[in-house]
Amino acid sequence: MSADTQQTLVLIKPDAVQRGLIGPIITRLEARGLKIAAMKTLRMDGEMAARHYGAHKERPFFQGLVEFITSGPIVAMTLEGPNAVDVTRRTMGSTNPAEAAPGTIRGDLAVDVLHNLIHGSDSPETAAKETAFFFNPGEILDYTRSIEPWITES
Ligand code: DAT
Ligand code: MG
């Protein structure tokens, strides 16, 4: 990985899975140039959800958030690329889809703050912790795409 290359953890949430939006969401992230280093489907249980969203445990929406994220299957992915953490969050759009810019995943495809389709790590440090929570090291693949020189300089 070159100096500015980062990994970030993305979850495609139960609303997106139920709405048939796995493909459209991955298409946007892949088209941006991000590389999928790991991907799987799973269903989070309450314990996993409470740990993943531990930073929010005092917030009034915490219980509803845990119920929602455990309500059905999700897709977990590790994405890699230049500034992958910020690039992914900008592609996602603001937390509240009602305020998210058109052209973003949330701004184009969602209207409600809880049902906002996608999670992305908020810093490289969080990304490392979240990636380790969802994937074993052996599940994260290190490979080169032949198109890489057409996406980045390095
Ligand atoms: P983000 O997912 O953009 O990183 P966050 O970490 O602040 O946002 O919050 C985690 C999730 O909690 C968010 O994706 C949706 C939910 N959430 C945040 N604020 C909320 C609110 N006011 N009401 C209901 N759910 C909320
Ligand atoms: Mg967050």
Side-chain angles (χ1 to χ4, degrees), residues 16-130:
V17 174
Q18 293 299 325
R19 292 177 57 197
L21 294 174
I22 298 172
I25 289 171
I26 293 176
T27 295
R28 286 164 180 247
L29 296 164
E30 207 178 17
R32 191 78 201 261
L34 295 162
K35 177 163 66 182
I36 299 170
M39 181 161 74
K40 65 177 156 195
T41 52
L42 71 147
R43 184 164 179 168
M44 287 170 81
D45 62 21
E47 201 177 315
M48 281 183 84
R51 211 169 124 188
H52 175 70
Y53 282 124
H56 300 295
K57 66 174 182 293
E58 307 300 337
R59 309 288 286 276
F61 57 82
F62 179 72
Q63 195 182 335
L65 179 59
V66 169
E67 279 170 22
F68 166 62
I69 204 71
T70 60
S71 66
I74 61 168
V75 176
M77 295 188 290
T78 295
L79 299 181
E80 191 178 299
N83 302 303
V85 171
D86 277 352
V87 166
T88 297
R89 285 187 67 91
R90 288 170 186 276
T91 305
M92 289 162 48
S94 303
T95 301
N96 186 348
E99 294 162 9
T104 64
I105 291 166
R106 288 165 168 170
D108 284 350
L109 303 174
V111 289
D112 176 70
V113 67
L114 182 61
H115 301 90
N116 65 3
L117 303 174
I118 181 168
H119 166 84
S121 308
D122 61 12
S123 72
E125 296 71 34
T126 312
K129 282 186 205 143
E130 292 181 346

